[in-house]
Amino acid sequence: MAAILFLSFASGLPFNLTNFSLQAWLASEGLSIKTIGIFSLAALPYNIKFLWAPVLDRSLPPILGRRRGWILIYQACLAVCIGIMGLCSPTKAPYVLGGIAVMVAFLSASQDIVIDAYRVDAIPPSERALAAASAAFGYRTAAMLAGAVLVWIAASLGWRLAFLFVACLMAATMAATIWA
């Protein structure tokens, strides 16, 4: 259950980065409501992840087996992309930021696919209700952290450090994957 909790935390961490937090950042930089609306399309991969889920289910990564290997790969890529996202400028390079935001959403949606599959594989049917509760708690806690807390950190220390903080948290979740 602890592994499910930590992996679900990792799954929820990047969710608000392409929604609420990104929109707050863009608004704080003075971008138009039209531009902010266009950026909301960055979260599209979450809605179409069913398209590549079968590929992930059938593919075997080179490390840690079918589930944990993919999770670790996505977590590493997410940590790097979130860090790069924080280094982007919404006013000077909005297209670069938009591309990175789409990449973060794609990697996050892919991580969600594999973590859900891991949970189904690892938890016996008699414990799935408890695992679902643990997963929901971990996911929602991380999503709130990457939403409200990220904005609070950004107000105090700036958006760059806020995104770097989340990138470090994402990298730290790799320990849970290895441990699981």
Side-chain angles (χ1 to χ4, degrees):
M1 284 306 149
I4 297 301
L5 177 68
F6 291 127
L7 291 176
S8 297
F9 182 88
S11 188
L13 197 56
F15 179 72
N16 273 330
L17 298 181
T18 56
N19 292 312
F20 173 74
S21 299
L22 180 60
Q23 292 169 0
W25 185 16
L26 298 174
S28 74
E29 293 290 324
L31 273 70
S32 71
I33 193 77
K34 179 182 173 185
T35 304
I36 294 170
I38 291 170
F39 266 85
S40 68
L41 292 173
L44 184 63
Y46 287 106
N47 296 325
I48 59 171
K49 63 184 176 181
F50 67 90
L51 294 175
W52 65 90
V55 174
L56 291 178
D57 197 42
R58 290 183 180 94
S59 301
L60 187 63
I63 54 171
L64 291 178
R66 193 169 88 194
R67 304 293 187 214
R68 291 184 318 129
W70 281 124
I71 295 168
L72 189 69
I73 289 167
Y74 287 125
Q75 287 171 334
C77 292
L78 276 164
V80 170
C81 285
I82 293 167
I84 291 171
M85 191 174 174
L87 298 176
C88 290
S89 170
T91 55
K92 294 179 183 168
Y95 296 111
V96 173
L97 179 60
I100 296 293
V102 170
M103 181 62 71
V104 167
F106 172 79
L107 293 168
S108 177
S110 299
Q111 178 188 230
D112 289 354
I113 292 166
V114 185
I115 288 174
D116 288 345
Y118 174 82
R119 187 174 69 238
V120 169
D121 288 351
I123 302 297
S126 62
E127 296 180 14
R128 287 198 179 139
L130 181 59
S134 179
F137 180 76
Y139 190 93
R140 297 290 180 201
T141 302
M144 187 179 298
L145 178 81
V149 174
L150 180 80
V151 172
W152 179 75
I153 292 170
S156 304
L157 303 172
W159 286 102
R160 202 165 264 175
L161 287 176
F163 273 89
L164 291 175
F165 171 73
V166 175
C168 290
L169 272 179
M170 193 74 235
T173 64
M174 293 169 63
T177 302
I178 294 167
W179 170 72

